[in-house]
Amino acid sequence: MFCCIIKQTRRSESSSNSSLSSNPRNKCALQPGHSLMDWIRLGNSGKDLAGTGGRMRPVTPAELSTHNTLKDAWLAIRGRVYNITHYLPYHPGGPEELMRGAGIDATELFDKVHPWVNYDSLLAKCLVGPLRFDRPDAEELFDITNPSPKSDRLREPSKAQELVRKSMENLANCITPVRKKITAKSEENVKSSPPSKIMQSLIQSSDLPVSISRRAGSSPVKSVDKSKDSPSPLRFDWIQTSTKLTISIYTSPLVNPGGSARIANGVLFVEVATNGWLRTIKLIPEEELTEPLQLRVFSESGKIEVIALKATSKVWKNVGETTYGAAVPISSPRSVECRVMHVERVSHDTTLLALCPATGPVIVPLGHHVRVHHKVDDKECVRSYTPVGDSWDHFGSDLSALKLTVKRYDAGALSPHLAELKAGDTVTLSGPYGNFQLRKLKQVKTVYLIAAGTGITPMLGLLKFMLVRSNPRCERVHLLFFNKTEDDILFKENLDEISEQDERLNTIHILSNPSPSWTGVEGRIKSEILSKVITKDSVSTEKQHFACVCGPTEFTHTAVDLLKTLGVREDDIHAFIG
């Protein structure tokens, strides 16, 4: 399961006004009736901007290449194909600039100018479908064997993910080095390191580790291309008690991994996504494992941990046989059916749902979001929501739960239906989506989180990550949280509790329509409010400061412009628009 918050806002029902490939300093004058708000209104008018009759379908590179004219223009970004024909006259950089990407993968062009912009929100209504090569393998994967001369450009760059936390395993008791057999499709076997000294003590609890492999084995896969885009080798380790098995998979620090785990026909499958590549680890266990599985990520180290229960309580001599699959590029997000497990009221108009994916637990990278698909009157409605982690609810620390916070709008297309879901109901999710790069925070010591309404959701994981990380230690986290009234402030008790426990968190609540008893800051986003914590002197140290923004579209772009006037470099800003 995963945990995410869904709160329906106007930003989730509208599009971003960021350009795909234009330079904001070289904008073209748009014709009357072609502003950002005009584009949003057109997207909400019901017009079929994708030209597919409301149904998504896969697109091959060959088909994509035929849509390269002003009257019929498609482009692909990170494995998704968009019909940009209707958007051309709305593009701030002019149609000619956008046409540079027509008929091909425009990922590289996009990343050169505005990698922080979530293009998938801007072009959500223009989505044709996933870009796929003709390979009848897994539904979500493709192999770059297409003979097209442009095939080397049709791979998803990625920037995969991570959640948060630093872990200390209590390695007491009888710690025994264990050898394990590792095989790969290349048919190479890698042996574990020689045994080290055995340390023994009394076993007081079946929940304490009774054996652990002393060194993680490197992935023996040799068939992966060693270019700069290729993933680094995985390392594998395991630890057991008499009742459970814990698998540790090591990626790289700050790589922000995502993944999933499942048991099928007695075999444990763990999928690891990093930087646009997917690798599958297959474990045939020494004895039977049972569900439920638990999955978690340690953001700073990049470690993924899978916890499985043993069918029979005993200590194994070995973990079993482990096989690594070759790395394959990720072509499109996945869809999964989820069952509602719990429902909790968060505020006067907001509900928190705990969901369980049918296929097993899933990890969404930190700073990325998912989409909810739900049929209303025989029409599919799709909205984007950002996942959050544990401790923001009263369900308890469930490592296999997905939590969604739904704010109900009576006139909304989807939120009234989501707000009425009950335990046992089902909902479809797809994802992950987003381009947030955790590595941008590598040297950052001070973070500015600027959120409005449900824009708080991506900030929750970042806030905890920065306060927990150790190298370098975060010096300050400034959270500026904009809302209408006191009753609209989500997770206020949680934020107050963190502030009391950690003085590095400075939370400022700003209300646009407060009650007479409100003694805090009033108003809307403006330079005078931001300058309370951000000045040109405070952000003068390069790479040690970073700002994140999330909220309604106009709020987000206003915040970005204000940050620039206050001296924050564009490379030190990430806007969550989706």
Side-chain angles (χ1 to χ4, degrees):
M1 286 176 151
F2 19 152
C3 297
C4 79
I5 284 192
I6 299 178
K7 184 176 181 185
Q8 173 134 356
T9 62
R10 291 185 180 88
R11 72 168 165 69
S12 67
E13 298 185 5
S14 63
S15 302
S16 162
N17 69 340
S18 301
S19 69
L20 251 173
S21 58
S22 66
N23 185 331
R25 290 173 288 276
N26 278 321
K27 291 184 176 180
C28 297
L30 297 174
Q31 295 297 318
H34 290 81
S35 67
L36 165 66
M37 295 310 299
D38 292 317
W39 173 247
I40 293 175
R41 280 192 287 269
L42 179 62
N44 292 332
S45 67
K47 185 172 182 178
D48 183 13
L49 300 181
T52 59
R55 294 188 176 184
M56 289 194 296
R57 63 177 183 82
V59 179
T60 64
E63 181 183 4
L64 173 64
S65 65
T66 64
H67 299 275
N68 58 4
T69 67
L70 287 171
K71 294 184 179 180
D72 180 21
W74 293 9
L75 57 74
I77 301 180
R78 293 187 175 88
R80 294 186 283 280
V81 178
Y82 300 92
N83 184 343
I84 59 171
T85 309
H86 293 286
Y87 179 67
L88 289 173
Y90 294 85
H91 184 240
E96 295 78 11
E97 184 72 10
L98 195 57
M99 284 299 295
R100 293 171 57 199
I104 62 171
D105 179 12
T107 302
E108 184 176 352
L109 294 174
F110 171 80
D111 284 342
K112 284 181 178 179
V113 182
H114 286 316
W116 54 268
V117 173
N118 276 355
Y119 56 88
D120 57 337
S121 174
L122 177 66
L123 299 176
K125 302 297 177 64
C126 303
L127 181 62
V128 178
L131 178 65
R132 294 185 182 176
F133 285 82
D134 297 326
R135 182 185 177 189
D137 267 350
E139 185 177 343
E140 290 76 23
L141 305 174
F142 68 90
D143 190 347
I144 25 183
T145 55
N146 192 295
S148 166
K150 296 178 181 178
S151 63
D152 59 328
R153 302 163 66 180
L154 298 171
R155 61 175 63 136
E156 178 177 354
S158 100
K159 288 125 189 173
Q161 9 290 203
E162 78 148 65
L163 298 169
V164 174
R165 198 169 150 199
K166 236 166 58 187
S167 106
M168 296 293 295
E169 289 290 351
N170 182 11
L171 301 181
N173 314 323
C174 181
I175 303 179
T176 308
V178 179
R179 293 179 181 270
K180 56 184 175 292
K181 181 179 180 182
I182 301 179
T183 61
K185 290 186 176 181
S186 60
E187 296 184 353
E188 288 188 340
N189 292 333
V190 176
K191 297 182 179 179
S192 59
S193 58
S196 60
K197 293 182 179 180
I198 298 178
M199 299 158 40
Q200 298 186 353
S201 65
L202 293 176
I203 301 176
Q204 301 295 334
S205 168
S206 63
D207 216 22
L208 293 175
V210 295
S211 67
I212 178 175
S213 61
R214 300 299 295 164
R215 184 171 300 182
S218 297
S219 167
V221 177
K222 302 294 184 180
S223 58
V224 179
D225 178 37
K226 297 300 181 181
S227 68
K228 62 180 181 180
D229 292 329
S230 300
S232 57
L234 297 177
R235 292 181 299 123
F236 170 90
D237 207 348
W238 64 280
I239 184 174
Q240 68 169 315
T241 70
S242 60
T243 59
K244 67 182 181 181
L245 175 70
T246 300
I247 303 294
S248 296
I249 300 167
Y250 301 87
T251 57
S252 299
L254 301 181
V255 76
N256 201 17
S260 64
R262 70 185 191 277
I263 295 177
N265 298 321
V267 179
L268 174 64
F269 294 91
V270 182
E271 293 179 317
V272 178
T274 56
N275 296 327
W277 295 86
L278 187 76
R279 286 168 289 182
T280 301
I281 298 175
K282 175 183 176 183
L283 170 64
I284 303 177
E286 182 174 283
E287 298 201 22
E288 184 182 359
L289 294 173
T290 64
E291 296 177 320
L293 298 175
Q294 293 185 323
L295 186 64
R296 61 181 176 180
V297 169
F298 300 88
S299 303
E300 189 169 9
S301 65
K303 181 177 78 169
I304 295 179
E305 197 170 79
V306 183
I307 302 173
L309 299 177
K310 294 180 177 179
T312 303
S313 179
K314 63 177 296 186
V315 176
W316 296 356
K317 294 181 179 179
N318 206 327
V319 68
E321 182 175 308
T322 307
T323 303
Y324 290 77
V328 288
I330 300 173
S331 65
S332 63
R334 295 194 169 188
S335 295
V336 61
E337 290 290 326
C338 297
R339 183 165 58 91
V340 179
M341 302 296 291
H342 306 285
V343 180
E344 177 183 316
R345 182 68 91 180
V346 177
S347 71
H348 66 101
D349 60 358
T350 305
T351 302
L352 187 68
L353 306 177
L355 307 180
C356 175
T359 55
V362 178
I363 289 292
V364 175
L366 193 65
H368 288 60
H369 62 278
V370 299
R371 287 176 179 166
V372 176
H373 303 252
H374 196 68
K375 280 194 174 182
V376 179
D377 297 330
D378 294 328
K379 293 183 179 179
E380 185 180 54
C381 292
V382 182
R383 297 292 182 267
S384 299
Y385 306 107
T386 303
V388 297
D390 293 328
S391 73
W392 300 103
D393 55 79
H394 298 95
F395 297 145
S397 182
D398 188 345
L399 299 182
S400 56
L402 163 69
K403 299 162 191 173
L404 313 174
T405 305
V406 181
K407 180 173 181 178
R408 181 185 181 114
Y409 287 96
D410 291 336
L414 184 58
S415 63
H417 300 274
L418 295 178
E420 295 298 325
L421 290 175
K422 296 179 175 58
D425 292 339
T426 60
V427 64
T428 301
L429 302 182
S430 68
Y433 302 89
N435 53 16
F436 177 73
Q437 301 177 53
L438 196 64
R439 282 196 171 120
K440 285 194 172 184
L441 302 179
K442 183 176 182 179
Q443 301 178 41
V444 172
K445 295 183 178 180
T446 302
V447 174
Y448 306 97
L449 306 177
I450 304 170
T454 50
I456 190 65
T457 55
M459 307 303 183
L460 300 179
L462 294 176
L463 181 153
K464 285 203 166 185
F465 169 76
M466 291 303 298
L467 294 178
V468 170
R469 71 178 299 184
S470 59
N471 187 24
R473 186 177 187 272
C474 173
E475 296 177 353
R476 196 71 163 162
V477 175
H478 296 281
L479 172 62
L480 284 75
F481 194 7
F482 292 79
N483 285 281
K484 290 183 179 179
T485 69
E486 293 97 316
D487 292 338
D488 294 321
I489 301 176
L490 294 178
F491 308 111
K492 186 176 186 303
E493 292 182 1
N494 305 75
L495 295 171
D496 290 344
E497 183 180 352
I498 296 175
S499 296
E500 292 177 2
Q501 297 175 353
D502 196 325
E503 61 182 11
R504 293 176 297 166
L505 175 60
N506 173 36
T507 302
I508 301 176
H509 294 289
I510 305 99
L511 302 182
S512 60
N513 187 27
S515 67
S517 61
W518 177 253
T519 59
V521 183
E522 300 181 21
R524 299 180 182 276
I525 187 167
K526 54 185 177 181
S527 180
E528 290 77 8
I529 292 178
L530 298 188
S531 61
K532 291 179 179 293
V533 295
I534 306 173
T535 65
K536 289 188 176 181
D537 291 338
S538 68
V539 295
S540 59
T541 307
E542 187 176 356
K543 294 184 179 181
Q544 292 190 8
H545 297 78
F546 199 84
C548 295
V549 182
C550 189
T553 302
E554 292 185 32
F555 171 91
T556 300
H557 288 282
T558 299
V560 170
D561 291 339
L562 291 175
L563 286 170
K564 292 178 183 177
T565 63
L566 291 172
V568 183
R569 300 185 313 125
E570 186 170 345
D571 288 345
D572 296 331
I573 302 173
H574 184 89
F576 296 97
I577 303 177

